[in-house]
Amino acid sequence: MREIPFYTQSATAADPTVANILILAPQVPLLLTTARTYETGVKLLSPDKRMEFVVSAFDIERKNVYVPESGIVFNVAGKIASRGFEVAAAASPIEGLKLWGNAAFVQSRFVDFSYIDGNGVFQSYSGMTPPNVPNFVANAGAYYRFVTAWPVEVGAAVRHVGDRFNYQDNLVTMDNYTTVDAYAFVDIPKTVFGSVDRTRLTFRVKNLTNRLYASWGDPGYTDQVILGAPRSYEVAASFKW
């Protein structure tokens, strides 16, 4: 029998204003940042459980959000609204092979964000997109596990992040980017190390194509961005008792 579960959930939250309230100017109110989330979706699962598909829609509102104007000046956005939907799928067409992918489409906007800046000039960013929020994110990958005396798994994943703005005026765009990671690991059986249930040796390559990209822009320092890590190699060992 095919399984088709539906779900709906809602949540609320309240957070302290900012990490360091001592940097708030005297005229900036000290308010809690509150949030409300609605989400609903459906999941499809094949009878043999080799394929699954999930789609969901969400609606998020945050009120009294402190947004940096500079490194030491914060202003309060009355409300930020984000709406969108997500899709995810996975399939195992043959034993040992798994293919997966997911994507999210987001529309995020300042609904109420107006204030008088330090020079006495009225500023309004209502309708603009908050910094560092892409309207599209996607991930996809595959892995295959070889069933041998020493099981080996190899896999790769691709991540795409859409254009983002580095400041609330939306005048400077940080370009979209795509990165690729790859890995391989081998599970060494207990017969080799008798006192350890499982030993795993892993080799990873991150940012395989050595893509140069901006991973983050700080609204408080609009002339600076954080670059993503270049190609890197990682060797790790893990043990399970």
Side-chain angles (χ1 to χ4, degrees), residues 142-223:
Y143 67 79
Y144 185 79
R145 185 173 179 84
F146 298 88
V147 182
T148 59
W150 289 26
V152 175
E153 183 174 302
V154 295
V158 179
R159 177 173 176 80
H160 177 82
V161 177
D163 293 344
R164 297 136 295 140
F165 299 108
N166 81 323
Y167 191 68
Q168 43 264 25
D169 58 12
N170 292 181
L171 295 179
V172 177
T173 300
M174 295 183 291
D175 291 339
N176 64 78
Y177 65 88
T178 302
T179 57
V180 181
D181 298 336
Y183 74 89
F185 68 71
V186 56
D187 287 331
I188 301 175
K190 184 178 177 64
T191 54
V192 177
F193 301 110
S195 61
V196 181
D197 291 337
R198 189 186 69 186
T199 301
R200 174 172 291 180
L201 301 179
T202 306
F203 175 69
R204 298 182 184 276
V205 183
K206 298 182 178 180
N207 193 4
L208 185 65
T209 61
N210 203 28
R211 175 66 187 269
L212 180 66
Y213 63 95
S215 64
W216 181 263
D218 191 333
Y221 301 91
T222 54
D223 59 344

Side-chain angles (χ1 to χ4, degrees), residues 15-105:
D15 302 314
T17 52
V18 291
N20 187 353
I21 63 174
L22 299 178
I23 65 176
L24 293 180
Q27 69 271 19
V28 177
L30 191 61
L31 304 169
L32 285 177
T33 297
T34 59
R36 182 271 300 155
T37 302
Y38 298 137
E39 182 178 357
T40 187
V42 59
K43 179 177 181 179
L44 306 178
L45 186 64
S46 66
D48 59 5
K49 298 187 178 181
R50 285 182 172 269
M51 299 181 64
E52 62 181 76
F53 177 78
V54 181
V55 60
S56 63
F58 58 88
D59 185 317
I60 303 171
E61 287 187 355
R62 300 187 70 206
K63 296 183 178 180
N64 302 326
V65 181
Y66 287 75
V67 181
E69 179 184 347
S70 68
I72 59 174
V73 177
F74 284 77
N75 297 294
V76 181
K79 184 166 71 172
I80 299 177
S82 300
R83 298 177 177 86
F85 67 94
E86 303 171 89
V87 294
S92 297
I94 61 175
E95 191 68 29
L97 175 63
K98 185 166 186 178
L99 310 173
W100 60 270
N102 56 65
F105 302 84

